[in-house]
Structures are given as C-alpha cells and as structure tokens.
Amino acid sequence: MTRSNSRCGRWPALLVALAVVAAGLLAGAAPAGAANLLTNPGFETGSTTGWSCPGGSVVRSPTHSGGAAMAGTTTASDIARCAQTVPVVPDTTYTVSAWVRGDPVYLGVAGGPSTWTSAASYTRLSLTFTSAANQSRAEVYLHGWYGAGTYFADDVELDGPGGGAPEGPRTPGTPSTDAVTDTSITLSWPGAGDSVTGYRVYEGDTVRATVTGTSATVTGLAPCSTHTYSVTAYNGAGESGRSGEVSGTTTGCTSADLPKHALIGYLHTSFANGSGYVRMADVPDSWDVINLAFGEPTSVTSGDIRFALCPVAECPNVETEAEFTSAVRAKQAQGKKVLLSIGGQNGQVQLTTAAARDRFVSSVSAIIDRYGLDGLDIDFEGHSLYLDRGDTDFRKPTTPVIVNLISALRSLKSRYGSDFVLTMAPETFFVQVGHQFYGGAGGGDNRTGSYLPVIHAMRDALTVLHVQDYNSGPVMGLDKQYHTMGGADFHIAMTDMVKAGFSVAGTGHTFPGLRPEQIAFGVPAAVSAGNGHTPPAQVQQALNCLARGQDCGGYDLRGGVSPDIRGLMTWSINWDRYYGWEFSDSHRPFLDALP
C-alpha cells in the first residue's frame, strides 16, 4: 500500500532479467537424438524423474531447447551432483554429451572419463568411453563445484546400444485427489506397468502409505490441513523416481465470521495522505473488514511495532484515543472486523533475529490488546521479505526473515485462538511473479515470490489473501500470456493463479492453490489511490468470471469457478470517501448479489 503514487523501481529490474532470460533462450541447437539411452534427458517431464539429483531442480528458463532444464545449486559442502544409471553392453564404445551453463560444470561417467567447462551461455560438453568386458551398467553424472552457485544442464545424451532390463520400474503418473474428509485424503494414479510389486505414497520425504494397487487413502490428518503427495513404484530390483506432486486440503475448515462476500478496506489511521482523515465512527457500514494503516517498526530490524493515531497537526479532525476505541467497539458490535495492518510502503520490517521475532510478537500483541482488535494484516513491501540464495523450497524455507515471520505469526495465532483474523496483502511481485522467477533460485531479484513460503506455512490459519492487483508490471499467467493491470483480464488471471496453484520457477515445486473463501483481490478505490485503477464495470466482470464462470473474455479458469470467493479489497476507505464513495457504492450491492 502506498502513501503516495510513487513506487520503487523493481519492475524495470525485472524487465532486465526477462531480457537476460530471452537472450539465453536464443542459444543452442536441436534436442537429443533417438539413440539416447537416458530417461528424461531434457527434463521435459517437469521433474528430475529418472535422475538422482539431491541438489537439483527443474527450471523453465534458461533452457537449451524445449521448456525445461535442470538447475543444480551448489553449497559450500555440496557440488549438486545429478546422475543416472543405465544398462549398457560390455566392451562397447559410447558417446556422452550435454548442453551446460555455469562456472564450472562437469560431465562424466563414474569410474571413467570426465570433462568440464566454464560457460556463461549454453555450451556442449562431450566425451566417449568404452564399457569394460564385464560391465552391464554405466552411471552418467553432472555436477558443479563447492560454493560456485547454480549450474544448468539440458539435452543430456548417452548414445549407443542399450543393455539389459533396468533395475527398477518406471515412474508412475501424477496422482489426483479423489475424495477428502475432515481427516483423510484419497489418491489415485496411473500405474507403472506389470513389473511393479507396489507403490509408496510420499509426503515430503516421509512414506505415508504403501499399497499394491494404484490408489491409497491417507488417514489421521488434521481438519482443514493441506498436504502434498507424490508416488513411487517399486519391485525387487529397486524403486522408481517420484511422480509429479498433487495437493489436497481436508474438509472441516472453519471460516472467520465474515459475510460470504466481504468488502475490505484500509483506513489511513496514522496519517492523512492527501485524501483526508476519516474517523472510525464515520466509516460506512458497507465495509466488513477495516485495516488500520499502519503499524510500523522503530527501526527496520528491531521488530518493535508501534501504532498511533494521526497527529493533530496533520489531521485536525482526528478523534481522541478514547473515541477511537469506542468506535472500534461499535463496529465490532455490528459484526465488523478491525485489524492492525503492519508495513506499507514506508514500514520496512525485517525479522532477522530471534530477538526481533519475539519483540514483534510482544509489541503487536500489546497493540491488539490495547484497542481490542480482531487480528492482523501483513502488508510487508519493499525489502521486508527476501530469499537467501539456495533457499529454493518454499515448503521448507531457511532465510531468517521468512522463518522468523512464520514463527511470529504462529505464535500470535496460538495466543488469540481460532477467532484471530489473519489477512495478507502482498504485491504480485511477491506472489504470482514467483511462477517465472523465484528469489532463492538466483539469477534475479531475490525478493520475487518471497511471500510464497509465508502464505504456504500459514495457509491453514489464513483468513484472506488479497493480492494487490495494482502498482504492478505485466505478469505471466497460467495461460503463458502476459497480463497487464487496469482491466478485468488482470484480476481474472492473477486470482486464478492463487486458486489453481502454480509451479514455482527454478525449484521443481508447485505452490498449492488456496481455498476460494480465502481469496480476494485488491484494487485502488480511485484513480488517485494507485496505478492500475480499474473501472467498476471491469472489476465486476472479473468477479462474474471468477464466481460464476461468466464473461471471462476467452480466459480458461484453471482453478475452476469459485462461488465462494471472499470478495474485494481496496486501498483505501479514505480515497473512496474523497471520490464520493464510488467504490463501495458500486461494489457493495454487487457483492451482495453474488451466489
């Protein structure tokens, strides 16, 4: 959220990154030939299926050819080795090659020759080897070097005659969720052939079920909890690679006491911003959630959040604290929710230490208790959140500012219980842009997608996510097209991403979509409130598409129709008042008429 119409320059930087990626895509030649003995040589399955790559993941750019490549992220103690073993014929000469990019990258055969290069763009490495007289298998490997960063590999080839049968069965197909209850999720998947003894269902690195058929029910789950599964096949010779992932959420979710379709707005409580001060008592009843803007830290890394009403010198009509508190109580008596919003454009919050985390919890609790608020809104912008290089799994983040924020939010949720309302208002840069660029994977701005681990960790406690569909550059949607703010198309595509879920660039992981009642989208209340103002008719077209499946302008909803979509957020109530309540007068009746 902005106190003015200016924005920081992250989008020009992102366009530079896009240009670099585009340049990388121009390099290279044709994919591997038909003689190739390797499974998944170009990683086009979207995973490292067939390979053993503990430090590797699949990326969509840069690639040598096709739509995928492997990225190996080295550390000070790991060279990110990626290997595959295949059957070969004894006493036979083979050619091994790969298109690689990095500094350095090694290609080799276990027990045999190797080669390496240092290349800023895709370069072909090649070698030959002759199998031993009694050799029936060969292991091809790639790796980087300790602490040298990320390398990329694509179109790996092992050319020559094939040997005997593989050690294990082929990889089963990606599972689907067939049924869910409060405590269980039932999965099924395409089989892996007649040679299979059974299948193992994994959640992360933990086996949740072992079955002989192609379906399984995982039980003992918590109500309203999200789980992500993959499947392997096994027989007496070994275990296959893992299938693609599927996510499911158990039923039994309890929703906050909000209208089915809510109107959410920010109230400039601590400043005026040119739109004038609006007293809490004067906020119209059309608003269901009122976010107090803003709680801000005493310093960027202190974690010590402070909140105060606008000074009289800036806001001559500001109410007394007693009048403000009384008005909050009156709103709550009408069923409204009043939240403390932390951050905004000027409120940078970096919880870099455990001490800052603990201070955040205690200071936020003190404000909530002082005014009797209903919960918290996280509006971290700028450089509050980022990802350390190599932090590529949003499900298990390691960056301190991310880990400490998650811990703090869990503490607050535990302190206040099930009635605690938690909302978040990230910009598209921190959520949907993660589909193309993820900060921890390197190669660009380390803030891209950095809200994803926070949203994912808190998804079972999250009341509403309302991404700011404004002050944004063009963003690629699930249709592989770029969408631009200011019209129905942008809101449809961006919201559909949050509902359907999406692959996270450079990581090999997929962010699971949220439940529709957790999803709203944010728009400026008026032309002066922010870039990307959308006329009411266009906002309502987007809602008609998302909630009814109507008037989608040719866009295909990957996440399906969502009659339970929560509603609309706006910056801000003050700007809406300044422009004669156009926003709330237009959208309150429309929301009430949705199914």
Side-chain angles (χ1 to χ4, degrees):
M1 308 300 171
T2 61
R3 295 192 179 194
S4 67
N5 293 337
S6 63
R7 300 297 293 165
C8 62
R10 68 170 65 97
W11 282 102
L14 182 58
L15 292 175
V16 172
L18 282 166
V20 171
V21 171
L25 290 171
L26 294 176
N36 198 351
L37 301 181
L38 295 172
T39 298
N40 193 20
F43 306 94
E44 298 299 331
T45 63
S47 70
T48 55
T49 296
W51 296 85
S52 174
C53 297
S57 61
V58 171
V59 297
R60 299 301 178 184
S61 65
T63 65
H64 167 253
S65 71
M70 191 277 293
T73 302
T74 66
T75 68
S77 59
D78 183 18
I79 57 175
R81 191 174 188 269
C82 188
Q84 183 175 152
T85 301
V86 298
V88 295
V89 177
D91 198 22
T92 302
T93 299
Y94 291 84
T95 299
V96 181
S97 65
W99 288 88
V100 299
R101 169 177 169 168
D103 183 18
V105 191
Y106 293 80
L107 170 70
V109 178
S114 66
T115 184
W116 70 280
T117 188
S118 176
S121 60
Y122 272 104
T123 300
R124 188 173 185 265
L125 283 176
S126 180
L127 58 85
T128 61
F129 76 97
T130 301
S131 56
N134 61 350
Q135 185 175 356
S136 62
R137 310 193 66 76
E139 181 187 56
V140 175
Y141 65 80
L142 294 133
H143 65 75
W145 198 246
Y146 299 103
T150 300
Y151 72 91
F152 302 90
D154 199 0
D155 297 329
V156 192
E157 297 184 44
L158 173 56
D159 287 338
E167 284 188 357
R170 59 185 173 86
T171 301
T174 300
S176 59
T177 55
D178 292 344
V180 294
T181 69
D182 285 5
T183 59
S184 69
I185 296 176
T186 299
L187 308 168
S188 64
W189 55 88
D194 296 336
S195 65
V196 172
T197 300
Y199 298 89
R200 298 184 178 108
V201 177
Y202 283 85
E203 183 174 8
D205 294 326
T206 302
V207 176
R208 296 300 187 193
T210 301
V211 296
T212 57
T214 56
S215 65
T217 299
V218 183
T219 59
L221 307 177
C224 196
S225 58
T226 300
H227 304 267
T228 300
Y229 301 106
S230 60
V231 179
T232 65
Y234 69 90
N235 59 21
E239 185 175 14
S240 73
R242 295 193 186 185
S243 70
E245 295 179 335
V246 67
S247 296
T249 301
T250 55
T251 54
C253 299
T254 56
S255 181
D257 186 19
L258 292 174
K260 183 176 181 180
H261 304 298
L263 195 62
I264 302 165
Y266 285 79
L267 186 68
H268 311 176
T269 316
S270 60
F271 58 96
N273 195 21
S275 58
Y277 186 83
V278 177
R279 296 161 64 100
M280 176 63 72
D282 296 332
V283 175
D285 294 343
S286 52
W287 300 94
D288 301 302
V289 180
I290 303 167
N291 292 327
L292 306 179
F294 288 108
E296 298 181 357
T298 55
S299 68
V300 172
T301 59
S302 70
D304 187 8
I305 305 300
R306 303 296 174 89
F307 173 78
L309 297 179
C310 184
V312 174
E314 184 179 352
C315 305
N317 62 322
V318 63
E319 66 266 61
T320 66
E321 187 164 298
E323 291 171 332
F324 175 79
T325 303
S326 176
V328 169
R329 298 289 184 274
K331 292 296 179 187
Q332 292 168 329
Q334 296 173 345
K336 313 302 182 183
K337 305 297 181 183
V338 184
L339 314 182
L340 173 67
S341 181
I342 298 177
Q345 180 179 341
N346 297 339
Q348 304 293 297
V349 182
Q350 294 179 352
L351 303 183
T352 55
T353 65
R357 174 201 65 197
D358 295 344
R359 186 59 187 148
F360 181 89
V361 172
S362 62
S363 60
V364 169
S365 299
I367 298 168
I368 291 174
D369 294 344
R370 179 175 181 177
Y371 297 103
L373 304 179
D374 297 290
L376 183 64
D377 173 71
I378 299 298
D379 183 20
F380 283 16
E381 300 182 16
H383 292 267
S384 293
L385 296 182
Y386 54 84
L387 292 155
D388 290 340
R389 189 178 183 89
D391 187 356
T392 58
D393 189 345
F394 70 86
R395 303 167 303 177
K396 297 179 287 187
T398 57
T399 306
V401 295
I402 303 290
V403 173
N404 288 330
L405 176 59
I406 292 168
S407 177
L409 295 178
R410 285 174 172 164
S411 294
L412 289 164
K413 177 65 177 179
S414 176
R415 176 185 178 113
Y416 292 103
S418 59
D419 292 335
F420 185 74
V421 178
L422 176 64
T423 66
M424 298 182 191
E427 296 163 284
T428 58
F429 184 80
F430 296 104
V431 182
Q432 290 94 336
V433 173
H435 179 47
Q436 271 194 291
F437 304 95
Y438 193 63
D445 195 316
N446 66 349
R447 297 170 295 163
T448 50
S450 58
Y451 250 91
L452 294 178
V454 181
I455 297 167
H456 185 69
M458 300 305 300
R459 65 170 58 238
D460 297 335
L462 181 63
T463 309
V464 187
L465 174 75
H466 34 62
V467 176
Q468 300 179 34
D469 284 0
Y470 48 95
N471 297 324
S472 170
V475 182
M476 179 180 284
L478 296 178
D479 57 354
K480 305 302 181 186
Q481 302 298 314
Y482 281 94
H483 299 268
T484 304
M485 64 180 181
D489 170 74
F490 192 69
H491 305 305
I492 293 168
M494 295 302 99
T495 308
D496 187 45
M497 291 183 75
V498 175
K499 169 70 183 305
F502 51 86
S503 60
V504 180
T507 69
H509 303 302
T510 298
F511 176 78
L514 296 177
R515 305 190 311 274
E517 68 270 20
Q518 294 178 294
I519 301 170
F521 63 84
V523 290
V527 292
S528 299
N531 296 318
H533 172 256
T534 307
Q538 294 280 299
V539 173
Q540 292 170 14
Q541 178 188 339
L543 285 168
N544 262 330
C545 172
L546 295 165
R548 293 188 170 105
Q550 301 172 357
D551 201 13
C552 294
Y555 183 90
D556 180 22
L557 291 172
R558 275 70 175 176
V561 179
S562 303
D564 293 332
I565 186 170
R566 182 58 73 182
L568 287 174
M569 174 274 283
T570 193
W571 179 261
S572 63
I573 294 172
N574 302 61
W575 280 114
D576 191 31
R577 193 278 305 268
Y578 189 86
Y579 279 83
W581 304 113
E582 178 190 59
F583 186 91
S584 53
D585 285 351
S586 297
H587 298 313
R588 175 77 270 169
F590 185 85
L591 290 172
D592 291 341
L594 285 177

Tab-separated table of all heavy atoms in Angstrom, residues 75-106:
chain	number	residue	atom	x	y	z
A	75	THR	N	26.536	-25.767	-2.773
A	75	THR	CA	26.763	-25.090	-1.498
A	75	THR	C	28.231	-25.264	-1.129
A	75	THR	O	29.004	-25.890	-1.863
A	75	THR	CB	25.880	-25.685	-0.391
A	75	THR	OG1	26.317	-27.026	-0.109
A	75	THR	CG2	24.414	-25.700	-0.794
A	76	ALA	N	28.591	-24.747	0.025
A	76	ALA	CA	29.978	-24.883	0.482
A	76	ALA	C	30.353	-26.334	0.725
A	76	ALA	O	31.541	-26.681	0.760
A	76	ALA	CB	30.191	-24.057	1.742
A	77	SER	N	29.358	-27.208	0.890
A	77	SER	CA	29.652	-28.617	1.186
A	77	SER	C	29.023	-29.581	0.194
A	77	SER	O	29.041	-30.789	0.399
A	77	SER	CB	29.147	-28.959	2.597
A	77	SER	OG	27.754	-28.729	2.709
A	78	ASP	N	28.473	-29.089	-0.921
A	78	ASP	CA	27.757	-29.957	-1.854
A	78	ASP	C	27.966	-29.466	-3.279
A	78	ASP	O	27.775	-28.273	-3.571
A	78	ASP	CB	26.265	-29.974	-1.519
A	78	ASP	CG	25.461	-30.910	-2.404
A	78	ASP	OD1	26.062	-31.782	-3.046
A	78	ASP	OD2	24.225	-30.753	-2.452
A	79	ILE	N	28.337	-30.380	-4.196
A	79	ILE	CA	28.579	-29.996	-5.581
A	79	ILE	C	27.344	-30.191	-6.458
A	79	ILE	O	27.409	-30.036	-7.670
A	79	ILE	CB	29.765	-30.789	-6.175
A	79	ILE	CG1	29.514	-32.302	-6.086
A	79	ILE	CG2	31.062	-30.388	-5.479
A	79	ILE	CD1	30.603	-33.132	-6.758
A	80	ALA	N	26.197	-30.549	-5.850
A	80	ALA	CA	24.925	-30.704	-6.569
A	80	ALA	C	25.056	-31.723	-7.712
A	80	ALA	O	24.739	-31.451	-8.863
A	80	ALA	CB	24.417	-29.360	-7.095
A	81	ARG	N	25.486	-32.923	-7.351
A	81	ARG	CA	25.680	-33.978	-8.340
A	81	ARG	C	24.327	-34.526	-8.796
A	81	ARG	O	23.451	-34.817	-7.987
A	81	ARG	CB	26.517	-35.106	-7.734
A	81	ARG	CG	27.018	-36.166	-8.716
A	81	ARG	CD	27.947	-37.123	-7.970
A	81	ARG	NE	28.610	-38.046	-8.868
A	81	ARG	CZ	28.134	-39.255	-9.201
A	81	ARG	NH1	26.957	-39.647	-8.720
A	81	ARG	NH2	28.816	-40.048	-9.999
A	82	CYS	N	24.172	-34.679	-10.104
A	82	CYS	CA	22.956	-35.220	-10.704
A	82	CYS	C	23.372	-36.383	-11.593
A	82	CYS	O	24.208	-36.211	-12.494
A	82	CYS	CB	22.243	-34.141	-11.506
A	82	CYS	SG	20.608	-34.629	-12.110
A	83	ALA	N	22.816	-37.587	-11.341
A	83	ALA	CA	23.323	-38.778	-12.023
A	83	ALA	C	22.177	-39.692	-12.447
A	83	ALA	O	21.084	-39.662	-11.882
A	83	ALA	CB	24.281	-39.534	-11.112
A	84	GLN	N	22.454	-40.513	-13.469
A	84	GLN	CA	21.510	-41.533	-13.915
A	84	GLN	C	22.294	-42.772	-14.349
A	84	GLN	O	23.295	-42.662	-15.059
A	84	GLN	CB	20.661	-41.026	-15.089
A	84	GLN	CG	19.622	-42.027	-15.538
A	84	GLN	CD	18.690	-41.505	-16.614
A	84	GLN	OE1	18.164	-42.264	-17.423
A	84	GLN	NE2	18.462	-40.183	-16.638
A	85	THR	N	21.824	-43.946	-13.921
A	85	THR	CA	22.451	-45.216	-14.272
A	85	THR	C	21.588	-45.935	-15.301
A	85	THR	O	20.367	-46.033	-15.140
A	85	THR	CB	22.623	-46.094	-13.025
A	85	THR	OG1	23.436	-45.406	-12.072
A	85	THR	CG2	23.280	-47.420	-13.378
A	86	VAL	N	22.230	-46.437	-16.368
A	86	VAL	CA	21.507	-47.118	-17.437
A	86	VAL	C	22.221	-48.417	-17.792
A	86	VAL	O	23.434	-48.558	-17.578
A	86	VAL	CB	21.394	-46.234	-18.696
A	86	VAL	CG1	20.623	-44.964	-18.402
A	86	VAL	CG2	22.779	-45.898	-19.243
A	87	PRO	N	21.499	-49.396	-18.348
A	87	PRO	CA	22.142	-50.635	-18.799
A	87	PRO	C	22.926	-50.414	-20.091
A	87	PRO	O	22.472	-49.697	-20.992
A	87	PRO	CB	20.966	-51.583	-19.024
A	87	PRO	CG	19.797	-50.694	-19.270
A	87	PRO	CD	20.021	-49.460	-18.467
A	88	VAL	N	24.116	-51.003	-20.169
A	88	VAL	CA	24.957	-50.897	-21.357
A	88	VAL	C	25.446	-52.287	-21.762
A	88	VAL	O	25.353	-53.250	-20.992
A	88	VAL	CB	26.165	-49.965	-21.110
A	88	VAL	CG1	25.700	-48.539	-20.858
A	88	VAL	CG2	27.015	-50.467	-19.944
A	89	VAL	N	25.978	-52.348	-22.970
A	89	VAL	CA	26.548	-53.591	-23.496
A	89	VAL	C	28.040	-53.619	-23.182
A	89	VAL	O	28.728	-52.611	-23.381
A	89	VAL	CB	26.316	-53.680	-25.021
A	89	VAL	CG1	26.967	-54.924	-25.592
A	89	VAL	CG2	24.822	-53.651	-25.328
A	90	PRO	N	28.573	-54.728	-22.681
A	90	PRO	CA	30.005	-54.795	-22.378
A	90	PRO	C	30.883	-54.550	-23.609
A	90	PRO	O	30.497	-54.841	-24.746
A	90	PRO	CB	30.183	-56.230	-21.851
A	90	PRO	CG	28.831	-56.643	-21.377
A	90	PRO	CD	27.866	-55.972	-22.308
A	91	ASP	N	32.073	-54.012	-23.335
A	91	ASP	CA	33.104	-53.831	-24.358
A	91	ASP	C	32.575	-53.071	-25.580
A	91	ASP	O	32.791	-53.463	-26.725
A	91	ASP	CB	33.657	-55.192	-24.779
A	91	ASP	CG	35.009	-55.050	-25.488
A	91	ASP	OD1	35.678	-54.021	-25.288
A	91	ASP	OD2	35.372	-55.981	-26.244
A	92	THR	N	31.871	-51.952	-25.309
A	92	THR	CA	31.249	-51.158	-26.372
A	92	THR	C	31.543	-49.679	-26.140
A	92	THR	O	31.558	-49.216	-24.992
A	92	THR	CB	29.723	-51.383	-26.398
A	92	THR	OG1	29.469	-52.782	-26.591
A	92	THR	CG2	29.067	-50.590	-27.516
A	93	THR	N	31.770	-48.931	-27.221
A	93	THR	CA	32.075	-47.502	-27.107
A	93	THR	C	30.786	-46.674	-27.160
A	93	THR	O	29.921	-46.910	-28.014
A	93	THR	CB	33.013	-47.060	-28.232
A	93	THR	OG1	34.238	-47.794	-28.124
A	93	THR	CG2	33.309	-45.555	-28.142
A	94	TYR	N	30.686	-45.715	-26.247
A	94	TYR	CA	29.512	-44.834	-26.137
A	94	TYR	C	29.968	-43.370	-26.169
A	94	TYR	O	31.103	-43.051	-25.778
A	94	TYR	CB	28.766	-45.083	-24.832
A	94	TYR	CG	28.077	-46.425	-24.763
A	94	TYR	CD1	28.774	-47.557	-24.368
A	94	TYR	CD2	26.733	-46.548	-25.085
A	94	TYR	CE1	28.165	-48.801	-24.312
A	94	TYR	CE2	26.093	-47.775	-25.028
A	94	TYR	CZ	26.815	-48.901	-24.642
A	94	TYR	OH	26.192	-50.114	-24.589
A	95	THR	N	29.074	-42.526	-26.618
A	95	THR	CA	29.308	-41.077	-26.585
A	95	THR	C	28.357	-40.438	-25.590
A	95	THR	O	27.149	-40.711	-25.594
A	95	THR	CB	29.085	-40.453	-27.966
A	95	THR	OG1	29.995	-41.032	-28.899
A	95	THR	CG2	29.296	-38.941	-27.924
A	96	VAL	N	28.895	-39.589	-24.719
A	96	VAL	CA	28.103	-38.862	-23.728
A	96	VAL	C	28.255	-37.365	-24.009
A	96	VAL	O	29.373	-36.892	-24.246
A	96	VAL	CB	28.575	-39.164	-22.291
A	96	VAL	CG1	27.707	-38.406	-21.278
A	96	VAL	CG2	28.526	-40.647	-22.016
A	97	SER	N	27.132	-36.648	-24.002
A	97	SER	CA	27.207	-35.199	-24.201
A	97	SER	C	26.105	-34.515	-23.415
A	97	SER	O	25.123	-35.141	-23.011
A	97	SER	CB	27.084	-34.840	-25.688
A	97	SER	OG	25.806	-35.186	-26.175
A	98	ALA	N	26.254	-33.226	-23.201
A	98	ALA	CA	25.240	-32.426	-22.507
A	98	ALA	C	25.467	-30.964	-22.857
A	98	ALA	O	26.601	-30.530	-23.107
A	98	ALA	CB	25.320	-32.618	-21.002
A	99	TRP	N	24.377	-30.218	-22.883
A	99	TRP	CA	24.455	-28.765	-23.021
A	99	TRP	C	24.403	-28.172	-21.615
A	99	TRP	O	23.472	-28.445	-20.860
A	99	TRP	CB	23.316	-28.249	-23.873
A	99	TRP	CG	23.481	-28.597	-25.319
A	99	TRP	CD1	23.072	-29.732	-25.946
A	99	TRP	CD2	24.134	-27.797	-26.310
A	99	TRP	NE1	23.422	-29.709	-27.274
A	99	TRP	CE2	24.073	-28.524	-27.532
A	99	TRP	CE3	24.756	-26.552	-26.295
A	99	TRP	CZ2	24.617	-28.038	-28.711
A	99	TRP	CZ3	25.294	-26.053	-27.481
A	99	TRP	CH2	25.225	-26.784	-28.672
A	100	VAL	N	25.430	-27.396	-21.266
A	100	VAL	CA	25.572	-26.927	-19.887
A	100	VAL	C	25.855	-25.434	-19.861
A	100	VAL	O	26.308	-24.839	-20.844
A	100	VAL	CB	26.696	-27.686	-19.147
A	100	VAL	CG1	26.381	-29.177	-19.087
A	100	VAL	CG2	28.046	-27.425	-19.806
A	101	ARG	N	25.619	-24.882	-18.689
A	101	ARG	CA	25.854	-23.449	-18.469
A	101	ARG	C	26.198	-23.264	-17.000
A	101	ARG	O	25.469	-23.723	-16.118
A	101	ARG	CB	24.608	-22.658	-18.843
A	101	ARG	CG	24.588	-21.210	-18.427
A	101	ARG	CD	23.317	-20.545	-18.941
A	101	ARG	NE	23.116	-19.226	-18.364
A	101	ARG	CZ	22.224	-18.348	-18.792
A	101	ARG	NH1	21.434	-18.658	-19.805
A	101	ARG	NH2	22.091	-17.175	-18.208
A	102	GLY	N	27.320	-22.629	-16.686
A	102	GLY	CA	27.704	-22.402	-15.301
A	102	GLY	C	29.211	-22.278	-15.160
A	102	GLY	O	29.964	-22.439	-16.126
A	103	ASP	N	29.650	-22.060	-13.945
A	103	ASP	CA	31.071	-21.806	-13.697
A	103	ASP	C	31.523	-22.452	-12.384
A	103	ASP	O	31.392	-21.851	-11.325
A	103	ASP	CB	31.316	-20.294	-13.639
A	103	ASP	CG	32.799	-19.951	-13.447
A	103	ASP	OD1	33.645	-20.830	-13.689
A	103	ASP	OD2	33.083	-18.810	-13.042
A	104	PRO	N	32.033	-23.706	-12.467
A	104	PRO	CA	32.190	-24.589	-13.617
A	104	PRO	C	31.070	-25.625	-13.658
A	104	PRO	O	30.263	-25.702	-12.738
A	104	PRO	CB	33.527	-25.270	-13.310
A	104	PRO	CG	33.486	-25.420	-11.804
A	104	PRO	CD	32.768	-24.200	-11.278
A	105	VAL	N	31.058	-26.468	-14.741
A	105	VAL	CA	30.138	-27.597	-14.856
A	105	VAL	C	30.936	-28.810	-15.322
A	105	VAL	O	31.738	-28.697	-16.258
A	105	VAL	CB	29.000	-27.343	-15.862
A	105	VAL	CG1	27.949	-28.440	-15.734
A	105	VAL	CG2	28.378	-25.976	-15.666
A	106	TYR	N	30.718	-29.956	-14.681
A	106	TYR	CA	31.430	-31.182	-15.002
A	106	TYR	C	30.456	-32.204	-15.581
A	106	TYR	O	29.321	-32.339	-15.123
A	106	TYR	CB	32.069	-31.776	-13.743
A	106	TYR	CG	33.186	-30.931	-13.175
A	106	TYR	CD1	32.900	-29.811	-12.391
A	106	TYR	CD2	34.518	-31.233	-13.422
A	106	TYR	CE1	33.908	-29.034	-11.858
A	106	TYR	CE2	35.544	-30.457	-12.894
A	106	TYR	CZ	35.230	-29.352	-12.122
A	106	TYR	OH	36.234	-28.578	-11.596
